[in-house]
Structures are given as structure tokens and as C-alpha cells.
Amino acid sequence: MRIFANWERGCTFLGWKWAERVGELSGADLCYCVANPLVIEQQVSLEHLRSIQAAFEEFENTGRKYLDVEAFKKIMKNCLGFHGVHDDQIEELFRKIDYSANEQIDWDEFCTYMQLKYKEVEESHTRSKRISFSLPATIRELLHAEQILRIYFTPDNTFIMMREDGIISFWSAELKLKRSRKLFERPVGRKPKWITDFTIMSQYNKFILTTGDREIQIYELSTLEPYCQIAGLETGPLQLDYCSTGEDDCMILYGDDQGCVNILLLKSVGETLRTWKKWPKVDNLPSISVENAILSPNVTCIRWKVHEDWVTQMKYYDSIRAIISSSNHEASALVIGCTTGTTNLERQMKELKECWKEGKGVKCHSVPGIPQKRLECDQSVFRVHKGVKTFDFCKKNNMIVTGGMDRIVRMWNPYVPGKPTGLLRGHLAPIFFLYISTDDNKLFSVSTDNTVKIWDIEDQSCLYTANSKVSRIKGDVSACHYVPGTKALCIAADGIALLHLRIQPVPKPYNISSHNEPVLCCKYSNEFRQVTTCSEGSVIKVWDLDTGNLTFEFSGAHGDCAICCMTFDDSGRRLITGGRDGCLKIWNHNNGHCLRILKKERCGEICDCIYVEMHKHKYVLAVGWDRRINIYCDSFSDHHHTQFPEPHWQDDLKRGHKDDILCIAQCPPTLLATSSYDGEIIVWNMISGHSYCRLQNPQTAVWRDGEGSLAFWNLFHGGQLFGIFPATQSYSTNAALTSELPSEFCSLGTRLLKPVSKVKSQLSSLAVSNDDSLLYVADCVGYIYVYGIKDFAVHGVEVDPPRVVNYWRAHISGVTCMELIEEEKVMVTSSVEGTVRLWSVDGEFIGTFGQPQPWEIYAPASWKHPMVPYEILIDPLSMPIHPVLEEGIPVIQLISSKQSEEEIKNTESKDLHPNSLKVFISDDDINEEIKKMTFQNNLGKRLRHERYQSLNKPLNHGGPFAYHTLKCFDISNAPIACEKPDISAAKTDPFLTICFKESTVDLSAST
């Protein structure tokens, strides 16, 4: 019953809840579902699962614990209860569950498959949102300095930081100090001023700061010279904010130590500031008291009593036209309230009547010393345990996040203050800073112990954690600021730290990747018509061959080790992988279930593996760096999860390979071949375990300097060499093929061969058609070559090399694996660059697995052909090879050789017709011949019309400009005839009545 706990969440990650969505789908959505039917796993809900369980139990009560495919189809059709599920879909699900191919399943196997399926889907969803910082952080130390109060980032990529002692500094985006200045000197005989907060008036190129002496000071941002100040505030300002409300209007807000939110509404700001600058100077700064400031008609002061403790953070959001403030008082931890006056209509009308009776203008809350409380309808109060220290608001997501002393990040709907919508736990210290990134849909949080966390807003899960040990941020955090443009988080503590997000480059539309890491191998499963690929990052992906879409993936198959090889069992339902950790693993690749681990004593890298049958038993054979052939028996009667290899062949121990074995291949029924790094090939008899013959290329000198050879062997005569061809020999009219000794080989009945490459590159992979007529070879620069080898090197020694049938470039990097699917006449290739592509056997580009537009394998119109991948098109190695560049032939010699060939052809034609007479054709003969032709009458009507238009189109010799072709007309001076208006309908039409009144007024005025 363990599956029920994760079932609902698994259904959510698959994107559908069938029971809830049936009534929500529109007609277009239903048509889409019919045209693109979902798999069974995406359609089953929790209610369906309960009915399926009851059906399984009913079968068990009848004595049938295991169900065959027919009984399973009957259960699924009865329990699902919706249309669109076909028998082939149910049979495919049955085969995915029945990985052992014994044609029967039970309830436990069904539950295990479904649970692991949804678990891997959830983990895949989490991996797609993976995010991290580049660690350690970039840090600039600050020696013997006061703490930084606030950090701002300007549009010119500059950090502005204000310290508590009044030093303002400007830093570049790379944390290089541009300039700094101390705003005021230490007074003699008095305590020095200290700053509580500051903000920027970008509209007027000024910045504002508040001091502990209850002052609001304004400075020039460019020169850092003092401008003016407002002194004599009622309370000590702690939090400061500024907002522009019009072309020349603004709002200055500050929260104080009495829990009040103070608002200064300024009109005609430029004129008001110039007026304040004319006031007498105090400490070399023009100063005006707050009582005198509010006497101006351009200044309005509003004070709201909001909290019972001092204000910890405050900000005005113009998107909702409200102020959000916070404090450590639980009952009023977070308050969202209005700015000016009240929104209660009755209260507004009452205040207007009082003002009219007294004969005064309407100017509310003008007395700074008396704070007022908002009405309940004018604010929303959020009660939070231990108060709120920091918050952030996002209009796009309609969400507020809060954090405080209780170390919990709460997510709120701003219109529902009663209960948070989510709780994010994980911090071990009070939360100091929160920021919602709307672009990434992420939440950044910083706690007082210098721990930075990144949260996913949708899943409400922690994606990344960076503690102080890895980020190397030391000291008490005093200020934080996140820069959305550069994706960087700036933290001020003992020093200034900058944490950059590791941003994956945005993929260009023409650069499509199947994996994020190099793809090392790929295999095709005919049982499910799927292509399975594995990467260096230990990620296994399953693709649909018919469309190229990703059907399933799971990671960490071999931990952090790369997957070097893979193969399928004889049923095609189980996947066998070998990694650099020295282990083989058997998987149900449709849900990521590891069925068995095949492990040897010496954990060297496994380079290749195959699945064979001998002695009526089935085995997995693996080779690698241990230089031995490891044999594992594949038996379902062995219930051990970890299995060790069978004893080695004695001949393998005594006379085996002396170097690392890189590949292995079987020639049924008894022959097995292995190839090592030193170029030695040993052919084994699998029945006896003895070596059948040894093959070593005799011309080792050919392999030097990056050149190689193509060799054919006859195994029936102890390894007789039937042909070896140097790479410098030309195999076609426009290409020279060379290669080093390949690390892989392919078996062709009783022949072994080693092919060569076009651009003097090592070979990386090869494949052979089932009838041994075509050989496909790939090299390390992405070229694929097709050789015609039918009846080649079969009857004896060959002198001429095999014929090159076709070649094309499939990747810009080395091809790691090729999988030939002859029944579909296609080929799958994988590359180091992380792409997996599908080609026709003739080299036509079908598409890249994972591309946005799916293909239809039986519809060539959906293929990419005749297009080629963009990166291949622009790569220099894809250019055609000219004989002058390829073989170093002088241009003069090439031209003279062509001229000699033309002379020979001319002489041959003269010899063939020595007595030929010259024929003269006159113009009359040509005209007569044209008249006899009747092809004009056979053309279609539309085509004849088009040809007629093109033939009779007048010649364009430049012609006049547009204004030359303008037509001129004489202006007629017609007398204006004034007619008396008809006023009969004026009484019925109000519009005409108005017009009539206006006309009568005009006439009376004229008279």
C-alpha cells in the first residue's frame, strides 16, 4: 500500500489528473487528446488505482495470483472507464511491467512499477529546475569599517553602498571600488552622527538619508554635496523609502521607532527643494523644520500608527498603491495599508462636511505630532509568530513572503491574511533577507548565519543551499541586494560578497541537445520501439523512435560515474549498462528500477558488454581495464541483488590480452572476438573457452603519424589476411581515406575488418547491415562512411579497396555510437557534443532527439531533409575537399592534366568520325522547325497567361519618378450657396435642436 502516499503527487507531476480534468477540457483539448493519446500511466488517478486493486484482489480470491495479458486488458478496460485506451497501449504497459518476459504479473509488480515511474518523473522534474551559485563567492574585505546599511544597484552597473558612519562608496559590478566619500566629519565636543537608512531619488539625481538625530538629509548624487535637510522629526526614522507619483510629484516614507508609518507627499518637487535650500544653514546644511515644511501647500504629512513595535521594514508598492510594513510585534507583524486618507466613503463625506462648515480647504492629517490609526477596511493585518523581520511582494504571482525570528519562510496571499499558503522550513537562524525573482520563479533567502537558500515557488521546495563554509562569507550580515539583470546576490558582512548564479547558456534555436553531457552510447529496443541513450553524467534517457520525443529519463544510474556501454537482453525488456565504477547493472528502463548489480572484485572501468546465449543458458559478458572476460549468468532463479562473475577461462588467464580490452563482439553460435588497446584481436570459442586464433596487423608502420589501414581477415584459416589497404590510397574520385588503428571492430560472418577515415581521424564506431553488404564507419570528427562490401574478401585476397557508396557528416564531434535499424531503414547516431540524431540509411537527416517539432518516421515531409544541422553547415571541416588541398597537387599540374584529358577526348571523337561533314543551319530552317513544335498548345491556361504577361511586359528604362506621374486638376471657384435650415425636425431631435440654437445665436450676433 506504499504507492498511495506518492500517487497523487506523481499524477500531478505528469501534468494531468484524469478524474478532475474530464469536465475541464474544451473541445480543442479533447481533439488534442484524441490526436495525441496519452500513455496509460498518465491517465490513471487514485480512484482508478483503488478499483484496479479491488479487481486484482478479486482474481486472487479465485485462486489466480498472476494475471496474463488478456486478464490485465479486461481489468484495465473495466476500471479506467474512459475512452481512448487501445489494446496495444494496455499490452505495452503489460510488457513494461513484465520485464522478465514470463507473460504474467501480480499486484506487487504493478504497484512497484507505477511507484518507481512516478518517483523518477518527480526527480526528473526536480532536475530540470536545478540551480546553484558559483562558489566560493567573490569577496572584497572591509578593514575596520562600520556596517553597511543599504545596497543599491544603478542602471549603469554600479553598486552604491552607504555605511553607518556616513561613508558612501561606489563599486563596479566586479566589486572594484570606483570612489568613496565621507558625507560629514566628526563634530568637536559632540557625538558623531550615525545613519539609519538611505535611498535614491533617481528622478532628481539625488539621494536621501535619515540620521539618528531625527533628520532627513538630501544630497546631490553626482557631486555628493549636501542640498538641504528636514529637521525636528517627532520620532527616530529607521526605514526609508521613496517613490515617484507623478511628473513632478513624489512620496518620501519612513518608519520610526514608535511603529508609525510617516508619509511626506510632495508636489512641485523641484520648486519645493529649491525653496528649502534657501533656509538658514545648520552645520553647513540648509535646514527646515518639519513644522515649517508642512505649512507649504505643496507638502502633506501623514502619520499612521500601525505597529506596537518599531518598524523592521517598509516599502511602497505602486502596483497595488499600498504600503507594506513589518515589525516584531506578533499581532501586527505585517500590515498592508493605504497611503492617503481613508477608503471609507462615509468617513470621507463626514470629513468633507466638517471642512466645509469650518470654511477650510480639504487637507487631512497635516499635524505631524498626532498619529492616527487606519480603519479596519483600510488595511490587512497579518499575525505571525515572533513577528516579521523581512518580507517581499510579487504582483505577478500575487504573493507575499515573510521571514523572521522563528526561522520559517511563510508564503501568503495578500488578500487572505488568516493563514499562509505555504511554509518553507530549513533555515537554522533568523531570516534576514528575502527576494522573489519573477523571471526565474525562484525565492532567495538569507539567514543571519550567512546561509543562502534558493527555493522553488511552484513546488515550495529548497533547490540549493550555500552555507558560510562553502561561500566563505564571514561576519554578521548587515545588508543584501539581488540584481536580476546579472543574476547576482550581493551580501554585506565583514566584507562585500557577490554570489553569481550558474546560468546555463540559453540554447539557440538551431543548437538542439539531447543530453547536457557527452553521449557515450545508444541502443534500440524493438520491443517498445524506443531508443535508449546514456551520457557521461550517468543519465539514461528513453526516446520514442516514431516522434523523437523523450518518454522517460532517470539519473545517477552509476552514481557520479559515466556509463560506458549498454545492451539489451534477448527480450528487449531489460537494459544492461556498464560504467566506469566497474559495475554492470540490469534495469527496467521504463521506470528506472535497478533489478540486479553485477560486480567483480577488481573495479576497473567496463568498456563493452554483450548479451549471449551458450550451453542453453544466457550470460552477460563484459570486458574492460581488468584485461579479462567477465561472465555473469542471467537467471531469474537467483534472487541475490548483487551477483559476482563466473570463474574465468583458463586460456584467458594464461594467454589472454596483455592490455586493456576495449570491445567485444559475438559471431553466433560459438565465436567471440575481443580487441585490446595494443591492437591485438583474439577470437575465442565460447563452448570450450579456448582461443581460436589471434590477429595482429603486420604493417604496423602504416599506423604511424595518424595513418592507418583497412584489413580483412579470414578466420577459417587461423586468421589469414585477405586484404590490407593503406589510408593514402584513393577510394573514390574526390576523397582520400586515412586512419589510425581503430579501437573497435565488427564481425562479418567469417571476416573481420578495420576501416579507415576521410580526414585522417581516428575511428570511433561502426555497424554492418544484416546481409553483410554495407559497412557503416564513423570517425572522431563526425563523418559517416558507407562501404559496399558484398562478396568482398570472401573468395580470396583482394587487391583493390572496397567501394565508397556514400558518406556524410552527422556531428561536429566524434561519433560515439551507431545503431542501425534496418527494418525501419534508419540509423541512430550519438556524439560527444551531446546530440543524438536519426538518419535514413541514405544519409537523409530526419531530426535530433529532443527537438521541439516531432517527426513522423513514415512521413518524409516531416523530416529535416534536405536541411542539415546548422553547426555542421558552418563547420570548416564540412567543406568539400579539392584535390589541390587534399593531395598537395600543384595547380598548374592539375590544369595541364585536365587540358590533356580534353585533348584526348577531342582526338577520340575525331577518330570516331573521320569523314563527318559540317552541317549548316540557316534562319529559315530554325523558323520552320519552331512552327512545327506544338508544345505551346499543350501548356495550361494559367501557364500560357503567365508567359504572355512576361513576354509582353514593357521594358523598364528607368522611367519617371512617382511625382512625375501625378495628375493635375483645375480648382473650380464655386460660389457658396447658403440655404435656410430646415427646422421642422428640430423639436424631435435634440442634436438638431442644439445646432439650431447655435445657428440662431450666430445670426443674431451677426445682425
Side-chain angles (χ1 to χ4, degrees):
M1 300 303 296
R2 58 188 177 184
I3 188 172
F4 287 102
N6 294 330
W7 185 268
E8 192 74 16
R9 182 171 58 177
C11 294
T12 304
F13 278 105
L14 280 177
W16 296 90
K17 289 184 181 179
W18 183 263
E20 299 178 1
R21 71 184 176 96
V22 170
E24 300 175 358
L25 291 179
S26 62
D29 295 330
L30 290 173
C31 295
Y32 176 82
C33 293
V34 173
N36 303 275
L38 302 174
V39 295
I40 303 278
E41 299 94 311
Q42 296 174 341
Q43 299 182 355
V44 178
S45 66
L46 195 60
E47 291 75 12
H48 294 147
L49 185 65
R50 291 192 178 99
S51 61
I52 293 173
Q53 182 189 17
F56 268 91
E57 292 176 352
E58 183 179 352
F59 267 87
E60 290 182 4
N61 294 333
T62 59
R64 297 178 58 185
K65 181 179 180 180
Y66 295 96
L67 274 68
D68 57 8
V69 63
E70 295 299 329
F72 183 72
K73 289 192 318 186
K74 182 178 179 181
I75 286 179
M76 297 301 290
K77 288 181 179 179
N78 294 334
C79 296
L80 294 182
F82 47 78
H83 303 285
V85 177
H86 305 286
D87 290 347
D88 54 352
Q89 292 178 284
I90 302 177
E91 291 176 1
E92 182 179 356
L93 176 61
F94 182 87
R95 295 196 304 270
K96 290 179 180 179
I97 301 172
D98 181 28
Y99 59 84
S100 59
N102 57 5
E103 302 303 329
Q104 56 183 8
I105 62 173
D106 59 2
W107 170 248
D108 292 337
E109 292 176 344
F110 178 81
C111 284
T112 301
Y113 172 81
M114 299 297 286
Q115 183 184 17
L116 294 176
K117 178 79 172 181
Y118 286 126
K119 179 183 177 183
E120 291 297 335
V121 170
E122 180 178 353
E123 292 179 356
S124 175
H125 179 76
T126 304
R127 285 194 301 271
S128 65
K129 297 186 176 182
R130 188 174 297 171
I131 191 173
S132 63
F133 286 111
S134 297
L135 298 175
T138 304
I139 299 178
R140 296 291 180 266
E141 297 293 340
L142 299 176
L143 301 177
H144 307 290
E146 297 293 336
Q147 67 178 4
I148 295 174
L149 296 176
R150 183 72 69 92
I151 303 173
Y152 271 93
F153 191 77
T154 60
D156 61 345
N157 296 331
T158 301
F159 286 103
I160 303 178
M161 304 182 188
M162 178 67 71
R163 283 176 18 185
E164 194 177 58
D165 55 358
I167 295 180
I168 184 172
S169 56
F170 297 80
W171 302 77
S172 67
E174 295 78 20
L175 291 186
K176 294 181 180 179
L177 183 62
K178 293 183 176 181
R179 59 171 178 158
S180 64
R181 180 176 175 178
K182 192 169 185 179
L183 298 180
F184 35 78
E185 300 294 335
R186 183 185 180 93
V188 179
R190 290 184 302 172
K191 292 183 179 181
K193 287 187 177 183
W194 50 278
I195 296 176
T196 58
D197 201 359
F198 101 108
T199 186
I200 295 177
M201 301 176 67
S202 57
Q203 187 179 4
Y204 302 97
N205 196 30
K206 293 177 176 58
F207 66 88
I208 315 172
L209 56 86
T210 55
T211 67
D213 295 340
R214 300 183 179 182
E215 299 168 339
I216 298 176
Q217 298 184 352
I218 302 176
Y219 286 77
E220 293 284 355
L221 184 60
S222 55
T223 62
L224 304 182
E225 294 295 330
Y227 195 85
C228 64
Q229 73 173 2
I230 303 174
L233 302 181
E234 292 291 332
T235 54
L238 299 178
Q239 299 293 325
L240 183 63
D241 193 23
Y242 166 83
C243 178
S244 175
T245 58
E247 184 177 353
D248 197 21
D249 302 337
C250 73
M251 183 188 304
I252 299 176
L253 311 94
Y254 66 92
D256 57 26
D257 53 1
Q258 300 297 323
C260 296
V261 174
N262 304 269
I263 307 169
L264 291 176
L265 299 177
L266 305 182
K267 298 180 180 179
S268 302
V269 179
E271 180 184 351
T272 303
L273 294 180
R274 285 190 295 270
T275 303
W276 290 352
K277 191 176 182 180
K278 297 177 182 179
W279 279 73
K281 293 184 179 181
V282 178
D283 294 336
N284 198 25
L285 188 64
S287 179
I288 182 174
S289 65
V290 64
E291 291 83 0
N292 293 326
I294 64 176
L295 294 177
S296 171
N298 295 330
V299 181
T300 302
C301 180
I302 304 172
R303 293 194 67 194
W304 296 114
K305 179 62 177 177
V306 181
H307 306 281
E308 299 300 328
D309 199 350
W310 62 29
V311 179
T312 57
Q313 186 177 345
M314 180 203 62
K315 188 173 180 59
Y316 174 77
Y317 291 94
D318 190 57
S319 59
I320 57 175
R321 299 190 179 276
I323 302 172
I324 304 179
S325 58
S326 63
S327 71
N328 290 324
H329 184 243
E330 291 188 12
S332 59
L334 186 79
V335 178
I336 305 175
C338 63
T339 56
T340 59
T342 176
T343 57
N344 187 283
L345 185 59
E346 295 181 359
R347 178 74 175 270
Q348 287 181 350
M349 296 301 295
K350 184 178 181 180
E351 290 179 354
L352 288 173
K353 289 180 180 179
E354 292 177 356
C355 293
W356 289 339
K357 289 179 180 180
E358 297 176 2
K360 299 180 180 179
V362 181
K363 185 177 180 181
C364 304
H365 311 287
S366 297
V367 182
I370 305 175
Q372 298 186 13
K373 290 188 176 182
R374 298 190 184 101
L375 297 177
E376 292 184 1
C377 59
D378 292 339
Q379 64 182 10
S380 298
V381 182
F382 296 76
R383 183 184 181 92
V384 181
H385 178 61
K386 294 187 178 181
V388 172
K389 186 177 179 61
T390 181
F391 66 86
D392 195 22
F393 170 72
C394 177
K395 177 63 176 178
K396 180 180 178 181
N397 296 324
N398 195 30
M399 181 177 63
I400 297 177
V401 290
T402 61
M405 298 297 295
D406 62 348
R407 309 183 300 274
I408 300 175
V409 179
R410 291 175 172 86
M411 305 171 67
W412 305 82
N413 185 322
Y415 303 104
V416 185
K419 185 178 181 181
T421 58
L423 299 176
L424 306 179
R425 306 176 187 270
H427 279 286
L428 303 178
I431 298 169
F432 179 82
F433 173 78
L434 291 171
Y435 180 81
I436 301 174
S437 177
T438 56
D439 298 335
D440 306 326
N441 213 19
K442 303 290 188 300
L443 171 65
F444 296 85
S445 62
V446 181
S447 57
T448 56
D449 60 351
N450 301 330
T451 299
V452 183
K453 287 181 177 291
I454 306 176
W455 309 82
D456 183 75
I457 296 177
E458 293 181 353
D459 302 339
Q460 298 184 6
S461 60
C462 182
L463 302 178
Y464 183 76
T465 301
N467 54 32
S468 59
K469 183 177 292 186
V470 296
S471 63
R472 299 181 184 177
I473 301 175
K474 300 178 181 179
D476 297 332
V477 182
S478 60
C480 297
H481 184 77
Y482 182 80
V483 185
T486 59
K487 306 287 186 182
L489 178 64
C490 185
I491 301 176
D494 287 352
I496 304 173
L498 197 62
L499 288 168
H500 287 277
L501 282 178
R502 289 180 178 172
I503 304 174
Q504 295 182 356
V506 179
K508 298 181 180 178
Y510 48 79
N511 286 341
I512 302 171
S513 297
S514 306
H515 283 261
N516 296 327
E517 306 89 7
V519 183
L520 300 184
C521 48
C522 60
K523 289 292 179 182
Y524 171 70
S525 173
N526 190 36
E527 181 72 10
F528 302 106
R529 294 184 60 83
Q530 294 173 343
V531 175
T532 305
T533 59
C534 62
S535 69
E536 198 172 48
S538 197
V539 177
I540 298 176
K541 292 188 177 183
V542 183
W543 310 86
D544 183 18
L545 178 68
D546 296 324
T547 60
N549 294 330
L550 180 66
T551 59
F552 188 70
E553 69 170 306
F554 56 99
S555 63
H558 287 259
D560 296 332
C561 299
I563 302 174
C564 303
C565 58
M566 66 165 52
T567 187
F568 282 100
D569 64 354
D570 55 350
S571 66
R573 301 185 185 183
R574 292 182 300 160
L575 177 67
I576 304 166
T577 61
R580 288 179 182 166
D581 56 354
C583 296
L584 288 163
K585 293 186 178 181
I586 303 178
W587 304 86
N588 182 351
H589 61 283
N590 288 295
N591 66 345
H593 183 196
C594 182
L595 305 175
R596 188 170 298 178
I597 298 176
L598 310 180
K599 192 174 182 180
K600 56 187 178 181
E601 295 180 357
R602 296 175 58 186
C603 293
E605 178 179 328
I606 295 178
C607 298
D608 200 3
C609 62
I610 59 172
Y611 192 88
V612 301
E613 181 177 357
M614 56 182 176
H615 302 299
K616 296 183 180 180
H617 295 283
K618 298 175 182 178
Y619 297 90
V620 178
L621 275 61
V623 294
W625 288 6
D626 61 349
R627 305 176 183 180
R628 295 290 176 264
I629 303 174
N630 297 283
I631 305 173
Y632 301 89
C633 182
D634 182 32
S635 175
F636 289 100
S637 60
D638 188 358
H639 299 289
H640 293 87
H641 186 67
T642 303
Q643 183 178 341
F644 296 96
E646 301 288 329
H648 294 287
W649 293 334
Q650 291 298 319
D651 212 6
D652 185 20
L653 295 174
K654 297 178 181 179
R655 292 178 292 276
H657 286 280
K658 301 300 187 293
D659 210 336
D660 299 342
I661 305 176
L662 302 182
C663 53
I664 183 171
Q666 181 199 16
C667 180
T670 59
L671 293 183
L672 180 75
T674 55
S675 175
S676 59
Y677 185 76
D678 56 5
E680 183 183 24
I681 299 174
I682 301 178
V683 182
W684 306 84
N685 188 323
M686 291 192 299
I687 303 299
S688 62
H690 296 289
S691 60
Y692 181 77
C693 63
R694 295 173 180 267
L695 310 177
Q696 185 71 44
N697 196 331
Q699 298 185 5
T700 55
V702 179
W703 307 331
R704 294 178 300 182
D705 300 329
E707 295 184 357
S709 61
L710 177 67
F712 291 83
W713 303 84
N714 189 318
L715 302 184
F716 285 156
H717 300 282
Q720 182 180 357
L721 184 63
F722 268 22
I724 182 169
F725 307 102
T728 55
Q729 189 169 351
S730 177
Y731 299 121
S732 63
T733 59
N734 60 348
L737 304 174
T738 61
S739 173
E740 292 183 357
L741 177 68
S743 61
E744 291 194 7
F745 65 91
C746 183
S747 62
L748 304 177
T750 58
R751 295 175 290 160
L752 289 176
L753 54 90
K754 302 176 183 179
V756 292
S757 172
K758 172 186 177 184
V759 289
K760 297 183 180 180
S761 174
Q762 294 183 0
L763 298 181
S764 56
S765 182
L766 52 143
V768 183
S769 59
N770 293 332
D771 57 356
D772 295 345
S773 61
L774 295 176
L775 169 66
Y776 296 83
V777 182
D779 60 15
C780 290
V781 294
Y783 273 98
I784 295 178
Y785 310 92
V786 185
Y787 296 92
I789 57 172
K790 185 177 182 179
D791 298 331
F792 186 84
V794 174
H795 304 291
V797 178
E798 297 285 349
V799 178
D800 297 326
R803 179 175 58 91
V804 177
V805 178
N806 191 11
Y807 75 92
W808 69 92
R809 196 174 189 192
H811 302 272
I812 58 173
S813 301
V815 179
T816 56
C817 187
M818 288 190 303
E819 185 76 0
L820 186 61
I821 310 173
E822 290 196 72
E823 56 269 22
E824 304 296 339
K825 297 182 180 180
V826 295
M827 171 186 289
V828 182
T829 61
S830 60
S831 174
V832 177
E833 68 206 28
T835 57
V836 182
R837 294 191 171 114
L838 186 65
W839 308 82
S840 70
V841 291
D842 297 326
E844 296 173 334
F845 181 41
I846 298 177
T848 302
F849 285 93
Q851 67 183 23
Q853 304 84 12
W855 62 72
E856 175 57 49
I857 195 171
Y858 297 114
S862 64
W863 298 359
K864 292 291 185 179
H865 181 77
M867 296 173 57
V868 296
Y870 178 80
E871 59 270 24
I872 295 177
L873 188 64
I874 64 175
D875 193 80
L877 291 179
S878 302
M879 298 295 291
I881 296 178
H882 195 272
V884 175
L885 302 177
E886 179 68 14
E887 302 179 4
I889 302 175
V891 180
I892 300 176
Q893 180 180 351
L894 183 65
I895 294 174
S896 61
S897 63
K898 289 184 177 180
Q899 290 178 352
S900 61
E901 291 178 359
E902 291 178 358
E903 292 176 358
I904 293 172
K905 291 181 179 179
N906 293 333
T907 54
E908 290 178 354
S909 62
K910 291 180 180 179
D911 294 338
L912 291 174
H913 306 281
N915 300 323
S916 60
L917 298 176
K918 294 183 179 181
V919 179
F920 296 96
I921 302 175
S922 63
D923 294 339
D924 297 334
D925 297 334
I926 295 175
N927 292 331
E928 189 68 25
E929 188 69 23
I930 291 175
K931 292 178 180 179
K932 294 180 180 179
M933 293 183 179
T934 58
F935 64 89
Q936 287 288 349
N937 298 326
N938 297 330
L939 295 177
K941 184 177 180 180
R942 182 182 294 273
L943 182 58
R944 291 200 304 272
H945 176 70
E946 295 295 333
R947 292 175 66 103
Y948 175 80
Q949 282 187 335
S950 61
L951 290 175
N952 293 275
K953 186 181 297 183
L955 296 177
N956 184 11
H957 298 288
F961 291 95
Y963 64 85
H964 288 157
T965 60
L966 293 177
K967 297 181 180 180
C968 299
F969 300 93
D970 296 330
I971 300 176
S972 60
N973 295 323
I976 301 175
C978 297
E979 297 180 359
K980 185 178 180 180
D982 184 10
I983 61 175
S984 61
K987 297 181 180 180
T988 59
D989 193 339
F991 177 76
L992 294 178
T993 304
I994 295 173
C995 295
F996 175 71
K997 289 180 180 179
E998 291 178 355
S999 62
T1000 54
V1001 171
D1002 293 337
L1003 291 174
S1004 63
S1006 61
T1007 56

